[in-house]
Amino acid sequence: MGVSRLDVIYRKCLLTKLFIQGWGKPDDLKRIFEFRKLIGNRETCKNLVTRDYPLFIDKIQEQTDCKILDGHFISPLVHFLPGILPAESVKARFQFIVPKEWRRNYRPVCIHLAGTGDHFFWRRRTLMARPMIKETGMASLLLENPYYGYRKPKDQVRSSLKNVSDLFVMGAALVLESAALLHWLEREGYWPLGMTGISMGGHMASLAVTNWPKPIPLIPCLSWSTASSVFTTGVLSKSINWRELEKQYATHTVYEEEIIRMLEYCGTDSFKMGQDFVKNSPTSFGNLQNLDISSDILDFGGTGTGQMLGTDSAHQLHTHKTTMRASGAQKVRGVDETLSAVSSSSAHLDMLNTSAFSRERNRRSPHQQESLNFMKGVMDECTHIANFSVPVDPSLVIVVQAKEDAYIPRTGVRSLQEIWPGCEVRFLNGGHISAYLFKQGLFRQAIYDAFDRFIQKYSAKRHGLP
């Protein structure tokens, strides 16, 4: 399957850059990696936010068909990682859109997390929450992401996170903030409760649900199992300030000597990515070449043989890094290692002989490959779904994906069906942008279906019936 031309063209029209200040403070990365171990395990995470965590309603607006409640609370993350959130992001803000009349004898609520660039509440309120009131009478709670809207740092330009670590801080905060909201909704008597989000919002909702200790509907739209492919092989990789990342990684030994050794999930899918890309090369490679995408989007490197990495494997990555620096002839050793284990069928060899692939092998410097491998490692550590608990009931998960999504590459990445057996994946024709613009109705239908599935399985238990 190829990639959407619209996705590529749309990304080229945007001039914003990501991670302009680099990786972030090494101490912040260390703290967030340690904290990831807590929130990666439901048993250690489920008690981090108390059931009576305080939330406050600031304003209530009466509309013709609903009430809109604006509220706030202090992000629970400040109690565990003080000082890591920007001052502007400490206060979490939310908007609760509630129907004036409930259509059934229960009051369902779906929490919507924001995707990239989704500041404030108007977009989710207009495209999802208000139609859901009209179609089924379902309430929606919209949480504003850290670094966005009212929570955006003053020196941040639009949605451009300054540091790679900012994305991990955002994710950790949203996991705990979602728990606080779910507890509050339970106290107020709402049921059933579910979570959704589009793009980054879908991924953040997935992370949050892994830590909720009860069955809960989850509908991640246009997201997948890890963010590592998004920032190394997807079109967003073109927006990253790679030069600054490469410079920092080359000059500060802390990344190589300390942080790499903290990674428990470092590029597990890299080997599989190389195999799958070569396997599908006649189609996928040709489509990418026709779209005239820069080679920076295409990544054929890997960090090893595709297995869970602990201290020993971190040492292997360290050795790999040193070897690359020592020999200019091994500029893309990660590529060679990956491809050496791939079957040498004629189709594979045809792809390897293309001039574009040869240029890719020769153009990437050791520093570029090292930074790319490190990006895969830290992204997988903090965002790979396999690094978190499996939801209590994966059958309540309905994933909606676009077949030609150039923002969320699935090639070489472990599928959600493999990680969460029993979940459902629905594929839409087209790419990321066209699905967001024209398929919101299908996103909402998936939400309704997941909630109906939950009610069929658990309504009797709620009423004490066998």
Side-chain angles (χ1 to χ4, degrees):
M1 181 61 67
V3 296
S4 165
R5 288 179 179 271
L6 178 59
D7 286 357
V8 177
I9 294 170
Y10 181 83
R11 185 61 247 177
K12 286 183 176 180
C13 293
L14 300 180
L15 303 178
T16 54
K17 285 287 185 181
L18 295 172
F19 314 139
I20 57 175
Q21 292 186 7
W23 300 103
K25 297 178 182 178
D27 285 345
D28 285 349
L29 284 171
K30 293 178 185 178
R31 294 171 69 196
I32 202 67
F33 288 170
E34 288 294 335
F35 190 66
R36 204 283 310 156
K37 296 175 184 177
L38 283 178
I39 62 175
N41 185 324
R42 183 163 52 244
E43 292 305 309
T44 57
C45 182
K46 66 182 182 181
N47 296 320
L48 295 182
V49 180
T50 61
R51 295 185 179 184
D52 59 350
Y53 195 86
L55 277 71
F56 307 94
I57 301 299
D58 304 313
K59 182 174 64 173
I60 301 177
Q61 305 175 56
E62 295 284 345
Q63 303 286 321
T64 56
D65 58 344
C66 66
K67 292 190 298 183
I68 300 178
L69 292 72
D70 289 280
H72 78 274
F73 58 99
I74 301 301
S75 176
L77 187 64
V78 302
H79 304 303
F80 301 97
L81 297 176
I84 204 165
L85 273 172
E88 298 89 343
S89 297
V90 168
K91 180 185 287 187
R93 299 173 184 269
F94 64 91
Q95 193 167 91
F96 191 23
I97 297 94
V98 186
K100 285 194 170 180
E101 294 184 4
W102 299 94
R103 300 187 184 181
R104 304 184 187 181
N105 58 356
Y106 49 83
R107 301 186 295 165
V109 180
C110 188
I111 297 176
H112 302 247
L113 299 189
T116 302
D118 191 352
H119 295 260
F120 305 105
F121 307 111
W122 66 270
R123 194 178 301 177
R124 283 170 288 163
R125 185 177 63 240
T126 303
L127 297 177
M128 295 293 286
R130 295 299 289 265
M132 288 170 65
I133 292 280
K134 183 177 181 180
E135 291 168 356
T136 64
M138 184 182 294
S140 294
L141 194 152
L142 318 178
L143 174 63
E144 188 166 61
N145 286 4
Y147 300 93
Y148 278 17
Y150 292 113
R151 307 180 72 182
K152 184 174 77 68
K154 294 179 181 178
D155 58 347
Q156 177 180 300
V157 179
R158 294 184 290 276
S159 309
S160 301
L161 300 181
K162 294 181 295 182
N163 305 291
V164 174
S165 61
D166 293 344
L167 183 67
F168 307 148
V169 173
M170 178 192 290
L174 288 172
V175 167
L176 300 185
E177 291 167 14
S178 297
L181 291 170
L182 288 167
H183 284 310
W184 178 71
L185 290 168
E186 279 194 337
R187 295 199 307 268
E188 296 297 315
Y190 294 101
W191 183 92
L193 309 178
M195 294 196 67
T196 190
I198 300 173
S199 192
M200 180 179 71
H203 196 85
M204 296 299 185
S206 297
L207 297 182
V209 164
T210 64
N211 287 291
W212 187 244
K214 302 176 183 179
I216 181 173
L218 168 65
I219 309 89
C221 303
L222 306 182
S223 67
W224 203 234
S225 56
T226 178
S228 64
S229 60
V230 174
F231 294 106
T232 58
T233 65
V235 292
L236 273 183
S237 65
K238 290 290 292 177
S239 303
I240 293 175
N241 184 10
W242 287 107
R243 181 167 297 180
E244 180 63 25
L245 294 175
E246 292 160 12
K247 183 178 72 173
Q248 291 183 11
Y249 190 77
T251 57
H252 299 290
T253 59
V254 65
Y255 299 111
E256 171 191 354
E257 296 177 356
E258 299 180 39
I259 293 178
I260 280 179
R261 300 180 185 277
M262 300 180 69
L263 305 184
E264 294 184 353
Y265 194 110
C266 183
T268 292
D269 302 334
S270 294
F271 178 67
K272 187 173 185 291
M273 184 180 296
Q275 288 182 308
D276 285 359
F277 191 92
V278 172
K279 180 180 178 181
N280 300 309
S281 60
T283 300
S284 60
F285 191 81
N287 289 340
L288 290 171
Q289 191 176 33
N290 292 336
L291 288 172
D292 190 30
I293 303 175
S294 168
S295 61
D296 290 340
I297 292 179
L298 303 176
D299 173 62
F300 302 93
T303 56
T305 57
Q307 51 187 295
M308 293 294 288
L309 299 186
T311 303
D312 293 341
S313 296
H315 175 70
Q316 293 172 8
L317 185 56
H318 166 78
T319 304
H320 170 63
K321 182 181 192 299
T322 304
T323 304
M324 288 178 66
R325 283 181 171 168
S327 173
Q330 292 179 305
K331 287 183 178 181
V332 284
R333 179 171 177 176
V335 176
D336 297 333
E337 289 176 345
T338 299
L339 295 177
S340 66
V342 177
S343 170
S344 300
S345 68
S346 58
H348 298 161
L349 294 175
D350 288 343
M351 193 276 283
L352 296 179
N353 288 331
T354 62
S355 59
F357 185 74
S358 299
R359 287 197 302 270
E360 172 62 26
R361 294 186 62 181
N362 292 328
R363 288 172 68 180
R364 181 164 292 145
S365 71
H367 290 319
Q368 290 173 327
Q369 188 63 51
E370 293 161 11
S371 298
L372 198 66
N373 288 341
F374 187 68
M375 177 68 85
K376 285 181 180 178
V378 296
M379 284 290 171
D380 277 337
E381 172 67 22
C382 289
T383 72
H384 204 299
I385 293 298
N387 229 12
F388 293 77
S389 300
V390 176
V392 173
D393 187 349
S395 72
L396 301 176
V397 179
I398 299 180
V399 183
V400 185
Q401 247 294 353
K403 291 181 179 179
E404 300 176 357
D405 197 324
Y407 280 81
I408 316 291
R410 297 185 304 279
T411 300
V413 177
R414 291 180 66 192
S415 71
L416 282 173
Q417 300 103 309
E418 177 186 348
I419 301 169
W420 293 345
C423 74
E424 177 186 350
V425 179
R426 300 178 181 180
F427 286 101
L428 310 177
N429 292 325
H432 197 88
I433 301 302
S434 62
Y436 181 84
L437 293 176
F438 306 116
K439 304 295 177 63
Q440 300 271 346
L442 296 178
F443 299 159
R444 295 195 299 273
Q445 186 58 54
I447 293 173
Y448 307 149
D449 292 344
F451 272 73
D452 287 344
R453 190 174 298 173
F454 175 90
I455 291 169
Q456 291 173 6
K457 292 188 70 172
Y458 296 102
S459 62
K461 292 182 181 180
R462 184 172 186 251
H463 295 94
L465 300 175

